[in-house]
Amino acid sequence: MEKTINRWQILVASTAVLLCTGAIYAFSVFAGPLSQVKGWSMEEIMLAFTINAAVGPITMILGGFLTDKGLAKWVIAVGGFAFSLGFFLTGLAQSPLMLYLTYGVLSGLGQGFAYSSCLSNTIRLFPDKRGLASGLITAGMGGAAIIAAPIANTLIESKDVMFAFRMMGIAYLIVVLIASFFIKRAPENYKPKGWSAKNPRTTRNAYNRNWQEMLRTREFYLIIIMLLMGSFSGLMIASNAAVIGQQMFHLTMRTAAFYVSLYSLCNCLGRVIWGTISDILGRAKTLLVIYTVVSLSLLVMTFFSSGGAFAVGIIGLGLCFGGVMGVFPSIVMENYGPMNQGTNYGIVFIGYSTAAFFGPRVASAIAENNQGNFTNAFYVAIVLAIIGLILDFIYIQMKNKAI
């Protein structure tokens, strides 16, 4: 059965799971109404988003390890269930502490399990289209808010934000349970029919490295920092898009929710587009373009206050955040091989979680100290993108010397 495995079916089912867990990117739609209903400050509420993303590596690494051991199906099912349950219980939260435990910890841990296993298991099935597969599977995470934002907004307007959390948690649970039936573990050293590796030097012993060996390479430290620099601006916008749109660009709540969906659409498309481009151009050269576009998009939002400028910024940052999330799994696999991808990428993902911990909090704190203005937060993100660009140049030179 493993020889006739339907890899596209597994990709679709895994993407469906991530379309649920990716609802974290629609958090800015919930944040404002949650503050109004409960009377909690935006900084208190954004801490839940920060915790959600920051605890991810705990289960990313453990889930990756279990996936490497052939338990992908169960890791995905458990992760999806935990995320859905956390989302539902958030609708019952009566204090910031309960919000942190349900949305922050429980959903965050579940999301880490599901994301790690869906990604690592699926790209093992596509050695011939690694960038495309990575882009498609991560597009589920990036595109989730396209669906979640308008649905959440409708439920909030018709009832309230707590009702929205409960109903969406139930819906996510149903989707996860159905999708889990169609997921199978990737066979070891899987090769699609008629395909052979272009570079015969990437043999099992010479190519695959475990996490201890990975930590001893110079490339690892560049990769994890570049991921941090590349994801900072995307997470900052993902958690505050609706708030930025309303406070700085004077959009209505409904229009701001539309821009959250637009950001998620671009996030989704960016993972596929940049993943495909990286198959042709190379991962590192693709990142040079991404860091440049991030800087330019933030500059537009900094110096122009029109709705058009916000749209340009949202589109550019969404595409590039998606690109970062779509390209880095392939970079890790190319450097350290497919055998330990789950564990290795889980460790590298700490760079993302570090950005998730600081990005939303820095942006919210700066805005609260500047009457809702995020301009200084944009400057911080621009500097980090430029640092990422410089590190990418160093990475390219390092790889060229190794050839």
Side-chain angles (χ1 to χ4, degrees), residues 69-84:
K69 299 300 181 183
L71 299 173
K73 184 183 182 74
W74 299 107
V75 173
I76 293 169
V78 170
F81 175 79
F83 175 86
S84 304

Side-chain angles (χ1 to χ4, degrees), residues 17 71-84 113-114 117-118 173 176-177 180-181 183:
V17 173
L71 299 173
K73 184 183 182 74
W74 299 107
V75 173
I76 293 169
V78 170
F81 175 79
F83 175 86
S84 304
F113 261 130
S117 193
C118 285
L173 178 60
V176 166
L177 291 176
S180 296
F181 284 106
I183 295 174

Side-chain angles (χ1 to χ4, degrees), residues 265-281:
L265 174 61
C266 293
N267 186 356
C268 176
L269 293 175
R271 298 176 188 228
V272 180
I273 293 170
W274 291 114
T276 304
I277 291 173
S278 73
D279 281 336
I280 302 168
L281 194 62

Side-chain angles (χ1 to χ4, degrees), residues 1-338:
M1 291 185 65
E2 289 187 343
K3 292 183 178 179
T4 59
I5 194 168
N6 188 334
R7 59 179 182 166
W8 293 101
Q9 174 184 291
I10 296 171
L11 187 149
V12 171
S14 298
T15 302
V17 173
L18 297 189
L19 279 170
C20 298
T21 61
I24 59 170
Y25 295 124
F27 188 66
S28 62
V29 174
F30 296 94
L34 195 57
S35 179
Q36 293 173 7
V37 169
K38 296 296 182 179
W40 305 331
S41 71
M42 288 299 294
E43 194 168 0
E44 285 180 309
I45 292 170
M46 284 303 167
L47 181 57
F49 180 87
T50 300
I51 294 171
N52 181 289
V55 301
I58 298 172
T59 42
M60 279 280 293
I61 297 170
L62 177 58
F65 175 78
L66 295 174
T67 299
D68 293 340
K69 299 300 181 183
L71 299 173
K73 184 183 182 74
W74 299 107
V75 173
I76 293 169
V78 170
F81 175 79
F83 175 86
S84 304
L85 179 62
F87 219 84
F88 174 82
L89 292 176
T90 300
L92 303 175
Q94 298 300 319
S95 67
L97 176 60
M98 187 173 178
L99 175 68
Y100 302 152
L101 291 175
T102 56
Y103 186 89
V105 177
L106 185 56
S107 284
L109 293 175
Q111 184 262 338
F113 261 130
Y115 180 67
S116 173
S117 193
C118 285
L119 177 60
S120 299
N121 187 62
T122 302
I123 62 176
R124 283 185 172 97
L125 296 169
F126 292 86
D128 53 333
K129 299 180 178 68
R130 192 168 289 156
L132 174 62
S134 178
L136 287 171
I137 188 66
T138 59
M141 281 290 290
I146 302 170
I147 301 170
I151 292 177
N153 193 61
T154 299
L155 291 172
I156 291 168
E157 288 184 343
S158 64
K159 195 84 173 181
D160 59 54
V161 66
M162 308 307 282
F163 176 79
F165 273 119
R166 294 195 299 272
M167 291 301 100
M168 294 177 75
I170 292 171
Y172 291 149
L173 178 60
I174 293 171
V175 173
V176 166
L177 291 176
I178 294 174
S180 296
F181 284 106
F182 297 95
I183 295 174
K184 296 180 175 62
R185 74 173 184 86
E188 186 176 350
N189 300 315
Y190 175 83
K191 293 182 180 180
K193 186 176 180 180
W195 178 83
S196 60
K198 291 182 180 180
N199 188 353
R201 292 185 303 160
T202 57
T203 59
R204 185 183 310 179
N205 293 329
Y207 186 48
N208 287 289
R209 298 175 182 175
N210 60 32
W211 68 271
Q212 296 101 324
E213 294 169 323
M214 178 180 72
L215 293 179
R216 290 195 290 267
T217 66
R218 293 177 298 172
E219 291 88 347
F220 165 75
Y221 298 96
L222 284 175
I223 291 170
I224 194 171
I225 296 173
M226 287 193 299
L227 177 56
L228 189 161
M229 300 303 170
S231 55
F232 184 93
S233 60
L235 287 161
M236 182 180 73
I237 297 299
S239 60
N240 292 285
V243 179
I244 293 171
Q246 292 175 67
Q247 293 185 358
M248 289 186 65
F249 295 88
H250 312 294
L251 305 178
T252 65
M253 181 178 172
R254 183 175 290 275
T255 304
F258 164 77
Y259 275 107
V260 172
S261 294
L262 177 62
Y263 179 83
S264 297
L265 174 61
C266 293
N267 186 356
C268 176
L269 293 175
R271 298 176 188 228
V272 180
I273 293 170
W274 291 114
T276 304
I277 291 173
S278 73
D279 281 336
I280 302 168
L281 194 62
R283 319 300 173 196
K285 290 180 180 178
T286 300
L287 283 174
L288 291 178
V289 182
I290 288 174
Y291 288 124
T292 301
V293 175
V294 166
S295 301
L296 294 175
S297 299
L298 287 165
L299 284 172
V300 169
M301 292 177 65
T302 300
F303 291 106
F304 300 94
S305 58
S306 66
F310 186 62
V312 169
I314 284 291
I315 291 170
L317 291 169
L319 288 171
C320 290
F321 180 48
V324 167
M325 302 311 295
V327 169
F328 271 91
S330 297
I331 288 179
V332 174
M333 185 172 285
E334 285 181 350
N335 278 277
Y336 307 112

